[in-house]
């Protein structure tokens, strides 16, 4: 009976790409009628959608990160002290702010993604505006941290010379902070409706312009550290202007962006609760690895420790930003399919994206181990730093491999609206278990930086194991019901007041 019912769907469909998600959900529901050949086609169908989304998302994530990467590369040739100051500010100050902003923006991904899947397009522009209001409020508070960053860095144990250079760099990044407040929600707004290619072109264009400006300001004009950070801020504002103009002017957003509205201020408290949970979740995740750099500055010979670990972390961040592109695609796929009421397709998408990510991470791990010396020479010619980096690359390789699972599962959590659960998991595995172990190994044994990193790896491994367990036990039919309830509980379809605690 099941096979007869499915025949009209399968017969004559040589090109599976002609099928829509409703039809694929029907195929998966009647999976006993699907042969091995069709399972391969289903994987191909999902992979095609995944790469359409993630290909451009990867470009956006990587090239946005490369703006800071390039700045640190140019700064490294100013001197070891300048690189240490810029690195500590980039991690301890900029990394903290970006983690908060990116975490808050994940709420946009959750609600806009589910609204898009449910075809409630008018609500999406209101959600984006509401997010921007909250992001700007956070930016105002974080401005004080940037301005007084020198005192903050010294308070957490950094040397006076490194803290002074870090403060110079941080103050030049204050304009970038407000660019974050606008860019993060707008990018997630576009990604939630599968508009990613324009974002990729913008990111590449701004990166090329930033590279040219950085070379001109630092190498040619020799303006120094403050000019490096101001140039980075300017480049982020180029990105904001380009993204804003696209949203306002593009026909692709005519249904989802209907102009500024006072409705953005309605229902802001329920939305703030999800935003806060999202910020805590991602901030705990991002700052855990960034804290490795800060703690390294407390070790003997902090300049060498900071330089070596920051070089490794820059390559780790390149990898994580690549994988975050896949994670963003996973989040969009999960939120869209939950909103559309497709539990089986949601589960299938989770399996495919994880298998894809693990395969990519295996390749990246091999590259790091093969080119361990050459990677450090891109940043420095100091033989001592090069040797220190080479000694740390096996740990970098392990971390890169773990990236094949952990960020993807976080993306699934964002798409499903589990931010508050993952925040508790991150707090426990990272800060209650991993960080204390790292400090003991780093300061009470001869391992030094490597000991701190081992602690981080243990925390990530525990967090990944927990997320695998939670995802494997998920009832996706229940998650579809929760997504529908999340939309229905809005007093007005356009305000989409999200009820947290689901």
């Amino acid at each position: 009976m099941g096979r007869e019912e499915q025949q009209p769907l399968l017969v004559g469909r040589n090109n599976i790409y002609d099928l829509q998600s409703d039809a694929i959900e029907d195929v998966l529901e009647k999976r006993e009628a699907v042969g091995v050949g069709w399972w391969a086609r289903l994987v191909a169908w999902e992979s095609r959608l995944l790469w359409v989304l993630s290909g451009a998302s990867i470009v956006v994530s990587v090239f946005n990160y490369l703006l800071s990467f390039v700045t640190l590369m140019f700064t490294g040739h100013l001197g070891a002290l300048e690189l240490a100051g810029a690195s500590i500010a980039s991690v301890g100050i900029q990394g903290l702010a970006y983690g908060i902003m990116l975490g808050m923006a994940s709420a946009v991904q959750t609600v806009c993604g589910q609204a898009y899947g449910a075809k409630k397009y008018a609500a999406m522009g209101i959600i984006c505006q509401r997010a921007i209001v909250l992001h700007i409020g956070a930016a105002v508070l974080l401005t004080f941290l940037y301005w007084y960053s020198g005192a903050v860095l010294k308070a957490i144990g950094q040397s006076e010379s490194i803290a002074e250079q870090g403060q110079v760099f941080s103050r030049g990044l204050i304009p970038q902070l407000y660019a974050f407040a606008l860019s993060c929600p707008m990018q997630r707004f576009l990604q939630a409706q599968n508009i990613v290619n324009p974002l990729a072109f913008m990111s590449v264009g701004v990166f090329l312009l930033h590279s040219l400006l950085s070379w001109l300001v630092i190498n040619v004009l020799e303006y120094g550290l403050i000019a490096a950070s101001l140039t980075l801020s300017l480049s982020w504002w180029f990105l904001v202007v380009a993204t804003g103009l696209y949203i306002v002017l593009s026909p692709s957003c005519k249904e989802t962006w209907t102009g500024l509205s006072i409705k953005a201020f309605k229902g802001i408290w329920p939305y703030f609760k999800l935003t806060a949970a999202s910020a805590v979740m991602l901030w705990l995740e991002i700052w855990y690895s960034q804290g490795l750099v800060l703690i390294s500055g407390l070790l003997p010979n902090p300049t060498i420790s900071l330089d070596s670990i920051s070089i490794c972390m820059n390559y780790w961040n390149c990898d994580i930003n690549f994988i975050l592109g896949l994670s963003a695609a996973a989040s969009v796929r999960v939120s869209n399919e939950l909103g559309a009421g497709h539990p089986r397709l949601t589960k299938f998408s989770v399996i495919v994206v994880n298998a894809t990510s693990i395969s990519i991470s295996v390749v990246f791990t091999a590259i790091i181990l093969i080119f361990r010396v050459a990677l450090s020479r891109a940043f420095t010619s100091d033989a001592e730093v090069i040797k220190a980096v080479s000694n740390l690359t096996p740990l970098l390789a392990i971390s890169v491999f773990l990236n094949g699972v952990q960020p993807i599962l976080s993306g699934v959590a964002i798409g499903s609206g589990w931010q508050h659960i993952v925040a508790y998991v991150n707090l426990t595995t990272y800060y209650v278990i991993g960080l204390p172990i790292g400090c003991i190994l780093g300061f009470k044994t001869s391992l030094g930086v490597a000991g701190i990193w081992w602690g981080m790896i243990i925390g990530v491994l525990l967090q990944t194991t927990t997320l695998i367990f939670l995802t494997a036990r998920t009832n996706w039919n229940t998650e579809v019901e929760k997504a529908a309830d999340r939309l229905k509980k809005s007093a007005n379809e356009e305000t989409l007041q999200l009820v947290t605690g689901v």
Side-chain angles (χ1 to χ4, degrees):
M1 181 70 175
R3 185 179 298 274
E4 291 175 0
E5 290 176 354
Q6 200 168 350
Q7 282 300 316
L9 175 65
L10 297 178
V11 172
R13 293 283 191 171
N14 292 324
N15 186 1
I16 194 171
Y17 301 132
D18 293 338
L19 298 180
Q20 301 298 314
S21 59
D22 288 337
I24 298 297
E25 176 71 13
D26 189 40
V27 171
L28 293 172
E29 184 179 3
K30 302 177 177 66
R31 57 185 180 276
E32 70 277 1
V34 179
V36 175
W38 267 91
W39 277 115
R41 292 185 182 187
L42 289 173
V43 171
W45 183 90
E46 179 61 37
S47 297
R48 177 176 176 270
L49 274 182
L50 178 65
W51 282 108
V52 166
L53 281 171
S54 64
S57 295
I58 288 168
V59 171
V60 172
S61 183
V62 170
F63 277 87
N64 284 353
Y65 171 71
L66 284 177
L67 296 177
S68 295
F69 186 87
V70 165
T71 298
L72 288 179
M73 286 185 69
F74 279 106
T75 302
H77 293 282
L78 292 174
L81 182 61
E82 285 82 358
L83 176 59
S87 296
I88 204 71
S90 181
V91 170
I93 308 300
Q94 181 191 30
L96 169 65
Y98 190 61
I100 290 173
M101 295 292 182
L102 203 60
M104 291 174 67
S106 74
V108 178
Q109 215 160 327
T110 301
V111 190
C112 279
Q114 293 180 1
Y116 187 78
K119 296 181 169 50
K120 296 185 176 181
Y121 303 127
M124 297 178 67
I126 306 299
I127 295 163
C128 182
Q129 293 173 53
R130 186 177 298 157
I132 289 173
V133 170
L134 294 175
H135 276 71
I136 291 175
V140 171
L141 296 177
L142 288 168
T143 300
F144 295 97
L145 174 66
Y146 275 62
W147 189 258
Y148 297 106
S149 55
V152 173
L153 293 174
K154 282 188 280 189
I156 60 176
Q158 303 303 319
S159 67
E160 185 170 348
S161 58
I162 291 176
E164 287 176 357
Q165 295 297 317
Q167 178 170 281
V168 170
F169 192 78
S170 296
R171 288 182 174 179
L173 293 180
I174 290 176
Q176 181 203 44
L177 175 60
Y178 290 88
F180 284 163
L182 298 175
S183 178
C184 290
M186 289 194 298
Q187 286 189 352
R188 293 302 181 269
F189 167 75
L190 291 174
Q191 287 174 335
Q193 50 192 307
N194 304 330
I195 300 175
V196 285
N197 287 334
L199 287 174
F201 288 123
M202 294 175 206
S203 297
V204 173
V206 170
F207 166 76
L208 295 175
L209 179 59
H210 175 67
S211 299
L212 177 62
L213 290 175
S214 296
W215 170 78
L216 180 64
V217 168
I218 299 173
N219 283 17
V220 178
L221 299 177
E222 299 181 347
Y223 282 157
L225 196 58
I226 184 66
S229 57
L230 285 171
T231 301
L232 180 56
S233 294
L234 178 63
S235 296
W236 268 91
W237 273 101
F238 288 149
L239 199 59
V240 167
V241 171
T243 307
L245 287 175
Y246 182 87
I247 290 174
V248 173
L249 301 177
S250 173
S252 302
C253 299
K254 64 181 180 181
E255 290 185 271
T256 55
W257 181 266
T258 56
L260 298 175
S261 173
I262 194 68
K263 291 179 181 178
F265 294 93
K266 296 180 180 179
I268 202 165
W269 174 246
Y271 184 79
F272 170 76
K273 289 191 285 186
L274 180 68
T275 298
S278 302
V280 171
M281 169 195 151
L282 207 57
W283 174 77
L284 289 173
E285 198 165 297
I286 290 176
W287 224 66
Y288 180 58
S289 59
Q290 308 292 31
L292 175 62
V293 180
L294 290 178
I295 296 172
S296 299
L298 306 178
L299 293 168
N301 198 355
T303 301
I304 298 299
S305 297
L306 277 174
D307 286 351
S308 60
I309 198 67
S310 65
I311 289 171
C312 286
M313 293 309 293
N314 271 291
Y315 284 114
W316 182 86
N317 282 328
C318 281
D319 171 71
I320 191 65
N321 278 279
F322 184 96
I323 298 299
L324 282 176
L326 279 173
S327 176
S331 177
V332 171
R333 290 289 299 125
V334 168
S335 61
N336 284 176
E337 298 305 337
L338 286 178
H342 298 152
R344 296 166 189 82
L345 184 49
T346 302
K347 181 178 179 180
F348 185 69
S349 178
V350 170
I351 294 171
V352 172
V353 71
N354 273 285
T356 302
S357 180
I358 292 171
S359 301
I360 293 170
S361 291
V362 169
V363 175
F364 284 172
T365 300
I367 292 173
I368 286 171
L369 292 174
I370 293 170
F371 298 102
R372 56 197 299 175
V373 175
L375 293 175
S376 60
R377 286 180 175 161
F379 278 86
T380 182
S381 56
D382 189 307
E384 193 173 357
V385 176
I386 290 173
K387 181 180 179 181
V389 172
S390 297
N391 292 335
L392 290 174
T393 47
L395 298 179
L396 175 61
I398 294 172
S399 296
V400 166
F401 178 76
L402 290 175
N403 284 348
V405 181
Q406 183 267 331
I408 303 301
L409 295 178
S410 292
V412 172
I414 290 170
S416 304
W418 304 339
Q419 286 93 326
H420 60 294
I421 298 175
V422 181
Y424 288 121
V425 172
N426 289 351
L427 180 63
T428 303
T429 57
Y430 288 169
Y431 295 91
V432 176
I433 301 174
L435 187 60
I437 291 175
C439 289
I440 291 171
L441 293 177
F443 291 96
K444 299 299 182 180
T445 72
S446 60
L447 290 175
V449 174
I452 298 172
W453 203 329
W454 271 116
M456 184 188 79
I457 289 173
I458 291 170
V460 172
L461 184 60
L462 289 173
Q463 189 250 23
T464 302
T465 303
T466 305
L467 289 184
I468 290 173
F469 177 77
L470 290 174
T471 305
R473 289 177 56 85
T474 297
N475 184 323
W476 294 106
N477 289 299
T478 301
E479 294 302 318
V480 165
E481 294 173 4
K482 289 179 179 179
D485 184 60
R486 190 176 286 124
L487 299 177
K488 287 179 182 178
K489 288 196 175 182
S490 59
N492 183 308
E493 189 172 274
E494 292 187 357
T495 61
L496 202 65
Q497 295 180 12
L498 182 135
V499 175
T500 58
V502 296

